[in-house]
Amino acid sequence: MRRGPRARRDASAAHMTATRELGGIGEVAARFDAVVFDQWGVLHDGTAAYPGARETVAALRARGVRLAVLSNSGKRADANSARMKSLGYDERLFDVFMTSGEALWLDAASGRIRLRRPFVVAGAAGDGESWAEGLGMRLADRVEDADVILLMGVAEGSDGSGSREALACANARGIPLVCTNPDLCSPRAGGVVQVSPGSLAESYRNSGGDVTYYGKPWRRVFDLTREKLGTEPARMLMVGDSLEHDIAGGQGAGWSTLLVGTGLQDGRISAGGSPDGSPQPDFTIPALGRWHAA
């Protein structure tokens, strides 16, 4: 969990490395005891698994590698496990499902963070109630009654404009905001890019609001994932499609990193980092479905 306008770059701005281009993840699989995957853009496009990705996951598991999914999803881990199953993945192959929403729930349950009466901004009706189950928490029906805004999601196909009035009201009242999906956008099938909660949180902060982020690249979600896997950082590999979130966060946690050419990269993979200071990955591959070079 981090605050501040440059928090996403702080984790690993100083970490730069020469990138090795691979034909497939199988070329380095033996180096790692655990592999952690981003979900959207790496394992699937929101509609279907990427070709060969399920076979790659099974191959890693067959070699004794511990596997996890780490997603900037405001929903809890069980909901994301169910999504993976619906897309044809055997969820039993994964040792850990961790999401930013799960990390916040765990910290709220333990008292590490206090959320007394949040007003929830989510992608669908009922998402807030499902997330808060088991916390004994009362959700606010109106912004005016809230002590915090919980920004979980944006309605599918929406640009988030339907939530901006409530967020503007909250900001004017000085209500802090907790964002459990720091992504600015998320890939969909056919090259479509969906606006994500992080873009609304950026606007909130740029307008003077107090914003706390849960999710990649902030360190908390990486530490929780590693603790559940029981693996040393030097033997862990983060696989993602975002330099700013997956690669920066993985390197900030002391893990090796691999950038795939699918999802946000959309075939335009680059080993040269990005102009905003995001680091270079340790490895790149065209897609997760490639085990070795063709």
Side-chain angles (χ1 to χ4, degrees), residues 30-140:
R31 297 187 184 188
F32 303 103
D33 297 328
V35 175
V36 180
F37 300 102
D38 176 38
Q39 187 180 168
W40 298 80
V42 175
L43 295 168
H44 63 79
D45 63 7
T47 302
Y50 286 117
R54 288 175 294 193
E55 291 77 8
T56 295
V57 167
L60 287 167
R61 184 63 180 208
R63 286 160 174 78
V65 179
R66 293 177 65 78
L67 304 177
V69 171
L70 175 55
S71 177
N72 274 357
S73 167
K75 296 180 180 180
R76 295 199 58 196
D78 285 351
N80 284 271
S81 173
R83 179 192 297 277
M84 293 288 291
K85 184 176 181 180
S86 73
L87 294 174
Y89 282 92
D90 183 349
E91 77 281 11
R92 296 169 298 179
L93 298 181
F94 297 93
D95 298 280
V96 175
F97 282 89
M98 179 57 65
T99 67
S100 43
E102 182 76 9
L104 179 62
W105 191 94
L106 291 170
D107 281 354
S110 69
R112 191 175 191 269
I113 186 171
R114 287 193 69 188
L115 301 175
R116 294 185 299 276
R117 196 172 184 191
F119 179 87
V120 177
V121 178
D127 283 354
E129 288 79 4
S130 295
W131 175 84
E133 187 176 347
L135 292 176
M137 179 186 296
R138 183 179 179 188
L139 305 183

Side-chain angles (χ1 to χ4, degrees), residues 143-220:
V143 169
E144 294 85 348
D145 298 328
D147 68 305
V148 65
I149 305 300
L150 177 54
L151 177 54
M152 291 180 60
V154 174
E156 192 69 22
S158 165
D159 63 359
S161 57
S163 303
R164 295 186 188 276
E165 183 176 348
L167 293 176
C169 176
N171 212 338
R173 291 174 172 270
I175 301 174
L177 181 146
V178 175
C179 176
T180 54
N181 185 341
D183 290 349
L184 301 179
C185 57
S186 180
R188 295 294 188 269
V192 173
V193 176
Q194 166 72 40
V195 170
S196 293
S199 62
L200 302 183
E202 287 270 291
S203 297
Y204 201 89
R205 179 182 58 76
N206 290 337
S207 298
D210 178 8
V211 177
T212 297
Y213 294 92
Y214 262 76
K216 299 173 290 184
W218 283 270
R219 182 68 178 268
R220 181 63 177 159

Side-chain angles (χ1 to χ4, degrees), residues 191 193 243 259-271 286:
V193 176
L243 285 166
L259 184 71
V260 298
T262 50
L264 292 174
Q265 296 301 313
D266 194 24
R268 298 182 299 271
I269 200 164
S270 171

